[in-house]
Amino acid sequence: MNLSPEYLLSQIFNGLVSGGFYALLSLGLSIIFGMLRIVNFAHGTMYMLGAFVAYYGLSLFHLPFFAALIVAPLVVAIIGLAVERLLLQRLYSVDPLYNLLLTFALVLVVQDAMRLVAGAEGSPYATPDALSSTITLGSLVYPVYRLFVIVVSVVVCLAVWYALEKTPLGARIRAATENPTWTRAFGINTSVLISGVFAFGVALAALAGVLAAPSTNVQPLMGDDIIIKTFAIVVIGGMGSIMGSVVTGFTIGVLTAIGAVFFPQISDTLTFILMVVVLLVRPAGLFGQPEGAR
């Protein structure tokens, strides 16, 4: 196999693009799990809704792509807030399995609703003109839009990490995650924090959906294509670990892209092979802590 350095470099960049989507999705999923201790099976659906908000915003209201990066996460955050307040909040006192079943039911309902509205095939979303050119990196010619996705994903992930680890609001969220009873004793409204964290987590998924829209077909099942691997990434990085989700997301993106070159037959299963190996060595994940040590 004679592969040029330019080709391998382009594959690494492609892996970082996919890794950006994985990182944003798994980051939102980890934040929600860390705060609520539930696995949000509807996270991929929020990713899909973010893409559709951008698509219909452009086709019906001429909403520019850069505005959609803000509007779509806000719209999906409001939807997530309604879901948490009206549905999930009623199940916090029962077995977490009920939350999992509820979010799975939401997936089926929303997907079928979007099939009725948009059809099963979906529609393309055009790359914005400002990002439709290419850039030369040495001898490699690469699309500007893909580099834009990488940069935005890295910046957003770093900003979220900083907000959670270095700010007073982040300290309150972490306190409510570790011990909600003591947090309430200090006069902090944990109910508001929980709702805000859930809304913010699904907004990250929606942002990933908007970024993915120009590079894929916007269709009702697009969340199914990515959410299973996202769950694996969260497990590998460590359930509830912010840094683990980000680092593992980008790593899996690159691993899958390189694997498609050298091991195309098993490239889609490399993530799950890695998950099995990590769980055998570190059951809590690469960056996670055992539940008793939290």
Side-chain angles (χ1 to χ4, degrees):
M1 182 182 296
N2 186 16
L3 300 176
S4 65
E6 292 80 10
Y7 179 72
L8 289 176
L9 184 60
S10 68
Q11 287 299 103
I12 292 173
F13 275 119
N14 290 337
L16 289 174
V17 173
S18 300
F21 302 145
Y22 296 146
L24 289 172
L25 278 163
S26 58
L27 179 59
L29 202 59
S30 288
I31 290 173
I32 291 172
F33 177 81
M35 186 68 155
L36 280 68
R37 287 295 188 269
I38 64 169
V39 177
N40 179 25
F41 212 90
H43 207 63
T45 301
M46 300 302 175
Y47 166 83
M48 175 266 290
L49 288 177
F52 267 110
V53 170
Y55 171 77
Y56 282 115
L58 177 63
S59 59
L60 298 179
F61 305 105
H62 307 289
L63 181 71
F65 171 76
F66 295 104
L69 289 173
I70 299 174
V71 173
L74 287 176
V75 170
V76 175
I78 293 172
I79 295 173
L81 189 63
V83 168
E84 194 278 333
R85 282 288 184 176
L86 299 177
L87 300 175
L88 291 176
Q89 199 173 79
R90 301 173 183 271
L91 300 178
Y92 290 152
S93 60
V94 299
D95 193 300
L97 178 62
Y98 289 97
N99 290 290
L100 178 63
L101 293 174
L102 174 63
T103 55
F104 179 71
L106 284 175
V107 172
L108 301 180
V109 171
V110 175
Q111 282 183 351
D112 283 349
M114 292 308 301
R115 279 200 188 108
L116 292 174
V117 173
E121 298 298 324
S123 303
Y125 183 89
T127 302
D129 293 336
L131 300 172
S132 60
S133 60
T134 58
I135 188 172
T136 302
L137 302 172
S139 57
L140 174 67
V141 178
Y142 200 73
V144 170
Y145 180 76
R146 289 177 174 262
L147 292 176
F148 173 79
V149 171
I150 296 172
V151 171
V152 171
S153 301
V154 170
V155 169
V156 171
C157 289
L158 289 176
V160 172
W161 173 84
Y162 181 86
L164 291 175
E165 296 292 335
K166 304 295 182 180
T167 66
L169 177 60
R172 291 186 176 192
I173 292 174
R174 295 199 312 276
T177 299
E178 299 296 333
N179 196 322
T181 303
W182 276 100
T183 305
R184 284 192 296 268
F186 281 98
I188 297 175
N189 191 334
T190 56
S191 177
V192 172
L193 280 179
I194 288 172
S195 300
V197 165
F198 187 86
F200 183 71
V202 299
L204 288 174
L207 176 61
V210 178
L211 290 172
S215 59
T216 188
N217 201 38
V218 180
Q219 47 95 5
L221 298 181
M222 64 183 292
D224 291 351
D225 298 334
I226 195 171
I227 192 60
I228 300 301
K229 188 171 288 188
T230 302
F231 277 118
I233 289 169
V234 172
V235 172
I236 294 169
M239 296 293 286
S241 171
I242 304 303
M243 186 57 67
S245 296
V246 174
V247 173
T248 307
F250 281 105
T251 301
I252 292 298
V254 174
L255 176 66
T256 303
I258 297 299
V261 176
F262 295 100
F263 311 104
Q265 297 87 353
I266 62 169
S267 61
D268 290 335
T269 62
L270 287 175
T271 302
F272 304 99
I273 294 173
L274 178 62
M275 181 180 72
V276 171
V277 172
V278 169
L279 290 179
L280 288 174
V281 178
R282 285 184 59 86
L286 294 176
F287 295 83
Q289 293 181 346
E291 191 67 25
R294 286 179 174 273

